[in-house]
Amino acid sequence: MGDHKDQPLRVGAAVRRRRRSLELTLSVVAQRSGLSVPFLSQIENERARPSQASLEKVADALRTTAVELLAAADPACSVDVVRADPGEAGEPRARSLVRGHHQMHASEFIGDHDAGREFQYRNDQLMYVADGAVEVEAEGRAYRLGRGDTLYLTGGVRHRWRATVSDTRVVVVAVSEHIEAVRDRKR
């Protein structure tokens, strides 16, 4: 129970990743495969499951095999536990809270990090202060966050942050960079 190995695979994400890595449009893949653009879009967005014959046509169009696409597919349902990392007390560290290639990325930061480093992500991000306090500079304004506070940043916002209390714990959750959740914003 709770094991994703018996669940069907979501091949659409693997198709999209392969197509994008080859820098192909859906139209080009449609021409090469003989399948329609709407059907390919439905496959990539997990709204349609291709038959074996259709998957082989898509694979040929992407210069790979159906077996390779299935091997790169995401499980439809999965449960993964990431256990706490005790680490060294007072030692700054970061760890990923989500393993693998997923639509969401989450990290935990404990202590301080390079406060001078500026971040800018293509997609939206949520910062949650689990313990301690931080100061965030975003879009020319400073925000002070304490335990339990959250800060939401839309994609493209340049920002930096620093812990203002020792042993601060910050959880950052974001739409993964490989997902195009927002269009590039004009500045």
Side-chain angles (χ1 to χ4, degrees):
M1 206 159 57
D3 190 350
H4 63 75
K5 291 176 179 47
D6 297 330
Q7 298 295 328
L9 295 175
R10 296 181 348 175
V11 72
V15 169
R16 179 183 291 119
R17 286 191 297 268
R18 176 68 179 174
R19 177 178 64 79
R20 288 182 177 166
S21 74
L22 296 172
E23 298 181 353
L24 299 175
T25 64
L26 281 173
S27 296
V28 170
V29 177
Q31 288 175 328
R32 288 182 182 179
S33 67
L35 301 171
S36 72
V37 170
F39 180 60
L40 291 170
S41 177
Q42 288 177 343
I43 290 171
E44 285 192 1
N45 290 298
E46 305 298 342
R47 289 192 300 266
R49 292 191 64 189
S51 66
Q52 185 63 33
S54 292
L55 185 59
E56 288 174 6
K57 289 178 183 181
V58 171
D60 288 344
L62 297 174
R63 295 185 174 92
T64 189
T65 65
V67 171
E68 288 293 321
L69 287 175
L70 288 170
D74 296 334
C77 297
S78 66
V79 175
D80 188 22
V81 175
V82 177
R83 299 286 180 197
D85 177 15
E88 296 292 321
E91 182 102 7
R93 61 191 184 280
R95 69 183 180 113
S96 180
L97 301 175
V98 178
R99 290 185 281 231
H101 193 78
H102 297 287
Q103 295 180 13
M104 181 185 73
H105 179 74
S107 297
E108 177 186 50
F109 297 89
I110 299 175
D112 212 349
H113 69 286
D114 181 3
R117 181 174 176 205
E118 184 174 71
F119 298 92
Q120 181 181 28
Y121 299 103
R122 178 173 57 201
N123 296 327
D124 296 358
Q125 175 182 336
L126 177 84
M127 179 181 286
Y128 171 73
V129 180
D131 282 314
V134 298
E135 187 172 271
V136 181
E137 181 186 319
E139 295 296 309
R141 291 185 57 195
Y143 302 89
R144 292 178 188 266
L145 306 175
R147 183 175 186 214
D149 290 343
T150 61
L151 179 74
Y152 182 85
L153 302 161
T154 58
V157 172
R158 293 180 186 275
H159 63 284
R160 64 184 62 168
W161 65 274
R162 68 180 185 87
T164 57
V165 175
S166 63
D167 292 332
T168 291
R169 284 183 41 228
V170 175
V171 175
V172 176
V173 180
V175 176
S176 290
E177 288 294 303
H178 71 276
I179 305 293
E180 289 187 39
V182 296
R183 291 194 173 121
D184 290 332
R185 290 181 168 85
K186 303 263 190 238
R187 292 207 161 229

